[in-house]
Amino acid sequence: MISLRPARPQDAQAVADLLAELDYPGSHAFIESRIKQLLSHADAILMLAVEEQTVLGCISLHFIPQLALAGDFCRISYFCVADGARNRGIGALLEQRAVQLASDYGCDRIEVHCHERRTDEHRFYARQGYAESPKYLNKKLS
């Protein structure tokens, strides 16, 4: 049975392994401190999907006030289900929990950036009701 729970610093190895599956292989050295940092923010949540002590997925959420609109928004910053655990409804379960948390925080929408190369993930998001909002820009600071 899959259960959802907040991440803890001792989940660092499992979270780093999931991030490596998203092509972020270098996080093992600092992931525990990043988890601790996220846990200290009232506007951030790192939720895990767990089955019998094994972490099978994670979703990182940030709740952001909007200046010009009444409702806030929730940003999914990282979302991953382990390769061997996909197509079992774990992603949908995590996303449904994200929707509930966003609603609880007073958000009127959720957004996610998903690289164009992740076509399987695009289909997942479409099934969950997400619509494309073109023109995402970023600037590297280092």
Side-chain angles (χ1 to χ4, degrees):
M1 182 172 151
I2 306 297
S3 62
L4 301 181
R5 66 166 174 81
R8 303 179 295 242
Q10 56 266 39
D11 297 313
Q13 180 67 44
V15 173
D17 290 346
L18 287 169
L19 291 174
E21 291 189 29
L22 286 178
D23 299 325
Y24 296 103
S27 66
H28 286 84
F30 56 81
I31 194 67
E32 185 174 347
S33 66
R34 299 305 278 178
I35 290 172
K36 288 177 182 176
Q37 184 180 11
L38 274 173
L39 294 176
S40 72
H41 286 272
D43 61 350
I45 291 177
L46 177 58
M47 185 69 53
L48 304 180
V50 180
E51 182 178 53
E52 297 180 14
Q53 309 299 323
T54 302
V55 175
L56 299 177
C58 68
I59 191 166
S60 178
L61 307 172
H62 300 272
F63 307 100
I64 303 167
Q66 297 184 95
L67 184 59
L69 300 172
D72 295 339
F73 72 96
C74 175
R75 176 173 291 147
I76 298 171
S77 56
Y78 295 92
F79 187 5
C80 184
V81 175
D83 282 335
R86 293 188 183 144
N87 298 311
R88 293 179 47 198
I90 296 167
L93 187 64
L94 283 164
E95 195 275 339
Q96 288 167 5
R97 182 68 176 132
V99 167
Q100 182 60 56
L101 289 166
S103 178
D104 293 349
Y105 274 77
C107 297
D108 61 12
R109 73 176 192 269
I110 296 180
E111 68 177 30
V112 60
H113 171 70
C114 188
H115 195 279
E116 65 185 55
R117 76 177 181 274
R118 299 184 192 278
T119 56
D120 289 342
E121 289 81 353
H122 298 165
R123 286 189 295 275
F124 168 81
Y125 288 120
R127 286 192 307 270
Q128 304 310 312
Y130 290 75
E132 187 171 348
S133 179
K135 205 67 162 183
Y136 181 86
L137 306 171
N138 68 37
K139 178 180 179 177
K140 300 253 183 198
L141 298 180
S142 57

